Amino acid sequence: MAALKLLFSSARRHSRLHPSPFLRSLSSESDQAPPQLLEPHHPLPIEPVSYTPKPKPHPDPSPQSAQPQPPPLDLRRDSAGGELVRPWSREDARFVKDGLSITPVSYPARVAPLPEDKKAEEGGGGAREEELEREKQRIEQAKRRAFRVEDRVVVPFPTFMKVEKNERKPILDLMDAIRRVKATAKCNFDETVEAHVQLGIDAKRNAVRGNMTLPHGSGKVVRVAFFAEGTDADEARAAGADIVGGVDLVEEIASSRKLNVDKCFATNEMVMRLAKIARILRERGLMPDRKLGTVTNDIVGALQKVRQGHIEYKMDRTSIVHVGLGKVSFTEDNLRENVGAFMSSLLLAKPTGLKKSSKYAGYINSFHICNTMGSGFPVSIQSLSKAADNYNKMHLK
């Protein structure tokens, strides 16, 4: 890099001293430049400037000069015209060795009066205070008359109302509960006697479901549809089925998506053809199932069970079984036998893995009985056990 700079500087100097013919022709055509530009540049001389040095202050050897001097005092004559005096300030006192001492100002402590002091004061001026109080009341009454100020009604601060807790109903015997259910039925139609059983098992791990025939029927008119063809269809019509059909009935339900029945039956040959309407039937809980006895070739026996009061029950997600066990118009003994038959069937549907000291302990937590539009009544487990044992002795010999 340094070599290149040296080369360019020598070339520039050579071109100034010996210009080339090409540059000469250019200079002849153009205006003649002043001769100063062709001559080499000489720097102008710079004359140095000198300034006189600033004199430094000589230090005073005396030790008193090192101490700070106090500011000049603003002296004023006193009122008598005598000596010049000036009040001392804190700034002045800082520079004086033996100056005036400034004493702190103290104020007397303020103490709140005690009740004893107030009583002592009131003893002397009680009459005066009473007079002032009467004058104050007189002035307030005058203001109210002048401005027509009505007395404000003082409303007490609202308090929370005590919530009345519903008292727990006493556990009744089965016959007493049935009597109360019949007594509280006030509707103009024949209400259904319902049973609600709270089970003590987990609905996610175990399932409780079953079917049975009530000894005195359910009192409900049941509409039945039977899926059959040929001679089975004729037999179902003769046995009293409300709707009977085969493939044509399946197509009709698939197109209209309507089926006004309470229970569906099917033969073993027709159950495979119900896949087209299986979703519609499952949504309504009408899908025939072999476990429930709705898929059978015994057409007459199945329809007789339905007419006699064949019911199905199933535990829901909250581990509760809901079932109807008759009508309010039934006699007390008939309702008691229906309840005993249901309890016997419910014990048979108990999961096998649930083992306790008693057949009811840990399985049935509570049993309530009610009518359609009334409140429920709890029933004791002992009376339910007696009703189930009586049913087993009379009907299961």
Side-chain angles (χ1 to χ4, degrees), residues 88-108:
W88 286 89
S89 63
R90 293 181 179 271
E91 294 294 331
D92 299 336
R94 285 196 318 131
F95 297 98
V96 180
K97 184 176 181 181
D98 298 329
L100 300 175
S101 60
I102 301 175
T103 58
V105 180
S106 61
Y107 298 95

Side-chain angles (χ1 to χ4, degrees), residues 104-385:
V105 180
S106 61
Y107 298 95
R110 300 183 63 183
V111 182
L114 298 175
E116 294 80 3
D117 302 337
K118 289 185 177 180
K119 290 181 180 179
E121 293 178 0
E122 290 176 358
R128 178 63 178 170
E129 289 184 358
E130 291 178 1
E131 184 180 355
L132 293 175
E133 186 67 25
R134 288 195 298 269
E135 184 68 19
K136 180 181 178 181
Q137 293 178 1
R138 187 183 63 78
I139 294 172
E140 288 180 357
Q141 292 176 1
K143 286 182 179 180
R144 289 179 181 178
R145 288 194 297 270
F147 297 101
R148 296 180 180 178
V149 179
E150 297 180 358
D151 294 337
R152 294 184 179 180
V153 179
V154 179
V155 181
F157 187 78
T159 57
F160 293 105
M161 297 177 61
K162 292 184 179 180
V163 180
E164 295 181 0
K165 295 183 179 180
N166 295 329
E167 296 182 359
R168 199 174 225 180
K169 294 182 179 180
I171 299 177
L172 305 175
D173 186 76
L174 179 58
M175 293 302 293
D176 294 338
I178 291 173
R179 294 189 189 98
R180 293 199 180 189
V181 168
K182 292 173 66 66
T184 55
K186 300 294 180 65
C187 294
N188 55 0
F189 62 91
D190 195 5
E191 300 184 37
T192 302
V193 178
E194 302 174 357
H196 306 275
V197 187
Q198 175 71 55
L199 302 180
I201 61 177
D202 189 2
K204 296 181 180 179
R205 296 183 179 181
N206 299 311
V208 176
R209 63 184 304 176
N211 59 88
M212 58 166 297
T213 301
L214 296 175
H216 299 282
S218 61
K220 181 180 179 182
V221 179
V222 182
R223 288 177 55 85
V224 181
F226 214 111
F227 294 93
E229 289 182 341
T231 57
D232 295 336
D234 297 336
E235 187 178 357
R237 291 190 188 93
D242 297 294
I243 300 175
V244 181
V247 179
D248 53 347
L249 181 60
V250 173
E251 295 294 337
E252 181 182 354
I253 295 172
S255 60
S256 63
R257 301 181 65 87
K258 294 180 180 179
L259 185 61
N260 186 17
V261 294
D262 300 317
K263 191 176 281 294
C264 290
F265 287 86
T267 59
N268 293 328
E269 294 80 11
M270 279 296 300
V271 69
M272 303 301 296
R273 301 185 182 182
L274 300 181
K276 192 173 183 179
I277 59 173
R279 185 173 181 179
I280 301 173
L281 296 178
R282 285 196 182 95
E283 289 177 355
R284 294 166 173 80
L286 301 175
M287 185 65 186
D289 190 357
R290 286 187 174 87
K291 295 181 180 179
L292 300 177
T294 52
V295 178
T296 178
N297 288 331
D298 185 9
I299 301 173
V300 178
L303 292 177
Q304 284 181 356
K305 286 183 179 179
V306 172
R307 301 301 181 191
Q308 291 174 0
H310 190 79
I311 61 171
E312 300 173 2
Y313 57 88
K314 181 181 178 182
M315 182 180 66
D316 60 5
R317 296 179 180 178
T318 58
S319 301
I320 301 177
V321 177
H322 310 274
V323 65
L325 299 178
K327 296 291 183 179
V328 177
S329 59
F330 288 11
T331 62
E332 297 177 3
D333 295 334
N334 292 346
L335 289 175
R336 184 173 183 271
E337 289 186 16
N338 283 354
V339 173
F342 168 68
M343 289 302 300
S344 178
S345 176
L346 190 63
L347 289 175
L348 294 176
K350 179 180 179 180
T352 57
L354 193 64
K355 294 182 180 180
K356 292 290 181 179
S357 59
S358 172
K359 55 184 178 181
Y360 293 96
Y363 180 48
I364 298 177
N365 291 342
S366 64
F367 186 98
H368 288 74
I369 190 172
C370 66
N371 51 44
T372 303
M373 306 299 292
S375 59
F377 299 96
V379 183
S380 63
I381 302 297
Q382 291 80 4
S383 61
L384 294 173
S385 178

